[in-house]
Amino acid sequence: MRINPITAKPNYYHTAAITKAKGEVTAEGRKDLTVLNHLNLTCNQAMINFKGTTDISRMLIKQIPLEDKLASLFQNFKLGDMILIGKNMHECAKEMYKNAGLIKNAIKRGFFIPDENLGGSLGFIKNSIGDTEVINLNDFEIPLITNNKTYPLKAHESFYVVQDDILSINGNLLKIKDEPKTDMSMYRKNFSKAFDFEKEANHNIEKINKKTISQLMQASRKSTTPVTFAQVGGLHKLKNSLKKDIIYPIRYPEAYEGMELNHGFILYGPPGTGKTHIARALANEAGANFISLNGLDMESKWVGESEANWRNLFEEAKENQPTIIFVDEFDAVARKRDNRDVYGDKVVNQILTLMTDIDNENADVYVVAATNNFKALDSAITRSGRFGKHYEVTPPDKEGLREIFKINTRNRKVDENVNIDKMLDKLADAKATGADMRHIVNEAHNNGFVRAGIFEKMENGTLTGQDVSGFKIAQEDFDKALDDFLKDKKDTARKPIGFIRNQAS
Ligand code: ADP
């Protein structure tokens, strides 16, 4: 099948249209030339709108390749923006309405690019981690060609796109470009319609945020969870450091009188290694209030405009001192954009200012930020003294795993013949985390219930107290759990092309 690309024509649209116009100097043509001159020379956008364009200028606009129109809008594309492309704006919006669940932030600006030739309709949004996502608004699959591989973008699915990806819509190719062939900012109004919903969106965001913050305030008043350091396996060095850095200053303030303390900490390492777990235990051991937040949730809920909410949060933390604020997935908040540091990012600056206040006031507020991707953090955060201490949290060694095994089996019966050492060796080789260990023990327990017919008895109501008291997790139960885990780990090692936002969230 021949595939017709929607790409730049050899005669670039601009000069081609002007030449054509110049060849036909009729009364109408003169009018057209005036419009073109406006387009070309005066750049007076306000005078030309899509509705008012003449045939010739409409023809000119039609000749701009769709990929360049889109790329021109991408130059100013930001969180809260949405671009729709298709034959008819009403139809596109109707389809987008059905897919609204794929957008995790409030829409503040909408753009529509009409296109007769595309053979379908598409939506584009910027997500909270700065990626551009395409949303397939059609009832058919769209091949997305990326790095010579084809990913089938299913109907009503979103996927992130990068420069040079190609979408094939009913045989028409649409290339993703970060920039158009030439600067077309002055023509944007002519080839797209723009809508501004900022005021209304901000009003609603404020309402939602106030509700969220008030829930947070209530949550922070609840007593902290009863996790203690004894329930954290391994991580001995980290526990010792946190005792000296946070627990003792909170417990024995008189010993730290006049001393400058560090109030910002970054824990980094793979998921499941116990960063959240140790932060909970830390708050409990210190007798501090614990506020736990997730950077990714905050970025989507607060739509990147969260300075006021951060201020409220710190205010609440100060009012309830001592407080430990734990921010998981910190990179979603303090992340480099396009791999560059974002000096001047409003949220990052706000957090740093609040941390400076905490330092200056020597408040009993400590911020423990966790990330799986330290390198993604903006260096405004990592290099500043405000988050001065960085601790790597690695998967446990064999002895760490043994401690985590004991923690997870302390309320369960394990058959004395189980070869724990052999299992720990395999898990240490596989770089299993504390979360993996918890999972394996739970699975082994379930396997044991199946083997002993306990689930079956639960189902038919014949379970007795003896069945439960005589139950022990056996070697074969652990073996199966371990095999399944190792197999799963192998299967998930291969990452798919791109990142399927709606499945991941
Ligand atoms: P992270 O925040 O690093 O992604 P979590 O703290 O959420 O990891 O770990 C998930 C669960 O795994 C914890 O709730 C805990 O039950 C278990 N876990 C992880 N690490 C440890 C550990 N070192 N000791 C005991 N349990 C652990």
Side-chain angles (χ1 to χ4, degrees):
M1 181 182 62
R2 186 173 141 68
I3 297 175
N4 301 319
I6 308 176
T7 50
K9 304 240 163 48
N11 290 332
Y12 203 50
Y13 53 89
H14 193 114
T15 43
I18 289 174
T19 315
K20 193 163 180 217
K22 278 180 180 160
E24 301 162 8
V25 189
T26 58
E28 192 54 33
R30 260 198 297 278
K31 220 170 101 201
D32 293 334
L33 268 176
T34 316
V35 176
L36 284 166
N37 284 340
H38 269 302
L39 277 167
N40 200 26
L41 301 171
T42 68
C43 317
N44 188 346
Q45 297 173 51
M47 293 183 68
I48 307 154
N49 61 37
F50 191 74
K51 237 179 169 177
T53 46
T54 59
D55 287 349
I56 197 91
S57 48
R58 236 178 259 136
M59 185 191 76
L60 177 146
I61 288 155
K62 264 193 180 169
Q63 288 196 40
I64 302 175
L66 178 60
E67 64 185 35
D68 281 318
K69 292 176 184 169
L70 187 59
S72 178
L73 293 188
F74 280 163
Q75 285 182 302
N76 276 340
F77 205 34
K78 54 182 187 185
L79 185 72
D81 286 352
M82 177 186 73
I83 301 171
L84 297 176
I85 307 179
K87 278 197 181 76
N88 174 301
M89 190 165 85
H90 181 75
E91 286 305 313
C92 282
K94 216 163 98 184
E95 289 308 313
M96 196 69 215
Y97 185 85
K98 293 185 202 158
N99 292 292
L102 295 175
I103 309 176
K104 306 292 181 206
N105 55 273
I107 300 167
K108 294 187 174 178
R109 295 194 304 174
F111 299 90
F112 175 65
I113 308 179
D115 193 279
E116 291 291 324
N117 304 322
L118 190 62
S121 29
L122 294 173
F124 290 88
I125 52 157
K126 193 82 158 174
N127 68 29
S128 61
I129 56 169
D131 296 325
T132 297
E133 284 184 30
V134 58
I135 299 175
N136 181 358
L137 299 177
N138 308 289
D139 288 327
F140 51 86
E141 202 169 276
I142 291 179
L144 165 62
I145 303 147
T146 174
N147 275 336
N148 293 328
K149 289 188 191 115
T150 301
Y151 172 76
L153 181 63
K154 294 198 187 73
H156 313 293
E157 186 184 72
S158 68
F159 205 97
Y160 87 79
V161 285
V162 291
Q163 165 107 323
D164 294 332
D165 280 355
I166 295 172
L167 291 155
S168 170
I169 308 109
N170 263 338
N172 283 318
L173 300 186
L174 176 66
K175 191 171 181 183
I176 302 297
K177 304 199 307 194
D178 291 344
E179 282 180 4
K181 193 169 171 183
T182 56
D183 178 22
M184 303 200 309
S185 46
M186 62 181 135
Y187 307 133
R188 275 187 201 127
K189 277 194 178 170
N190 300 82
F191 62 71
S192 68
K193 296 184 180 198
F195 302 87
D196 187 354
F197 308 111
E198 178 133 16
K199 234 176 164 177
E200 198 188 333
N202 282 348
H203 176 70
N204 285 317
I205 291 164
E206 190 185 334
K207 262 179 30 191
I208 296 167
N209 287 343
K210 279 193 170 151
K211 202 171 153 207
T212 309
I213 303 272
S214 72
Q215 282 169 1
L216 246 177
M217 289 176 186
Q218 281 160 21
S220 66
R221 266 186 214 108
K222 285 183 196 151
S223 64
T224 52
T225 55
V227 185
T228 65
F229 270 180
Q231 283 156 263
V232 180
L235 305 177
H236 296 287
K237 257 167 82 178
L238 179 58
K239 281 193 246 180
N240 279 333
S241 301
L242 292 175
K243 273 184 194 168
K244 289 178 200 147
D245 289 335
I246 301 180
I247 296 180
Y248 297 152
I250 289 180
R251 280 205 202 146
Y252 309 105
E254 63 281 4
Y256 293 85
E257 199 77 40
M259 278 173 65
E260 275 184 26
L261 295 170
N262 189 76
H263 291 93
F265 299 82
I266 299 175
L267 306 184
Y268 64 96
T273 44
K275 298 180 290 297
T276 313
H277 194 55
I278 201 166
R280 279 185 190 285
L282 169 72
N284 190 38
E285 296 278 349
N289 280 305
F290 185 61
I291 300 178
S292 174
L293 310 162
N294 183 296
L296 210 56
D297 281 357
M298 285 184 325
E299 270 295 280
S300 55
K301 272 192 199 141
W302 296 358
V303 204
E305 309 225 340
S306 49
E307 297 108 283
N309 294 324
W310 279 99
R311 285 196 294 275
N312 288 340
L313 186 70
F314 273 67
E315 218 33 65
E316 169 75 8
K318 278 197 258 181
E319 273 170 25
N320 292 287
Q321 299 185 41
T323 303
I324 288 168
I325 301 175
F326 177 69
V327 190
D328 203 3
E329 306 207 61
F330 192 44
D331 44 302
V333 181
R335 171 186 206 262
K336 292 179 194 190
R337 319 278 163 187
D338 298 329
N339 236 3
R340 283 195 295 270
D341 294 323
V342 200
Y343 294 99
D345 180 276
K346 283 197 234 157
V347 178
V348 169
N349 283 347
Q350 179 65 84
I351 296 172
L352 291 174
T353 307
L354 291 164
M355 292 298 291
T356 307
D357 292 345
I358 297 282
D359 281 345
N360 291 344
E361 295 163 24
N362 218 356
D364 248 356
V365 174
Y366 296 85
V367 180
V368 180
T371 176
N372 303 331
N373 191 358
F374 185 78
K375 282 192 188 141
L377 292 180
D378 192 314
S379 71
I381 291 280
T382 50
R383 294 215 197 114
S384 81
R386 304 297 157 222
F387 285 86
K389 297 225 170 175
H390 309 159
Y391 293 116
E392 187 175 9
V393 187
T394 51
D397 59 11
K398 185 178 173 187
E399 287 320 302
L401 283 168
R402 192 189 302 281
E403 288 176 27
I404 302 170
F405 178 80
K406 281 189 189 152
I407 291 164
N408 280 282
T409 50
R410 70 189 183 283
N411 296 324
R412 314 180 203 240
K413 284 190 204 145
V414 176
D415 192 292
E416 43 290 344
N417 295 321
V418 171
N419 187 342
I420 296 169
D421 261 298
K422 201 168 146 202
M423 180 168 71
L424 295 179
D425 281 334
K426 282 192 188 169
L427 285 172
D429 280 352
K431 300 223 170 335
T433 62
D436 295 334
M437 178 56 97
R438 189 179 68 160
H439 170 77
I440 287 167
V441 171
N442 284 341
E443 284 303 295
H445 198 141
N446 278 338
N447 294 341
F449 269 16
V450 173
R451 173 184 49 77
I454 290 184
F455 281 134
E456 208 182 322
K457 289 180 183 171
M458 286 177 180
E459 182 72 23
N460 56 33
T462 56
L463 188 74
T464 64
Q466 239 177 2
D467 289 324
V468 179
S469 62
F471 172 77
K472 283 181 182 171
I473 312 177
Q475 181 72 53
E476 61 187 287
D477 306 329
F478 280 112
D479 285 348
K480 183 170 183 325
L482 191 63
D483 284 353
D484 289 348
F485 164 74
L486 294 173
K487 189 170 164 291
D488 258 16
K489 208 169 156 80
K490 222 165 126 194
D491 288 350
T492 49
R494 198 187 149 270
K495 198 177 171 260
I497 311 166
F499 183 75
I500 309 168
R501 182 75 43 208
N502 59 330
Q503 288 184 1
S505 55

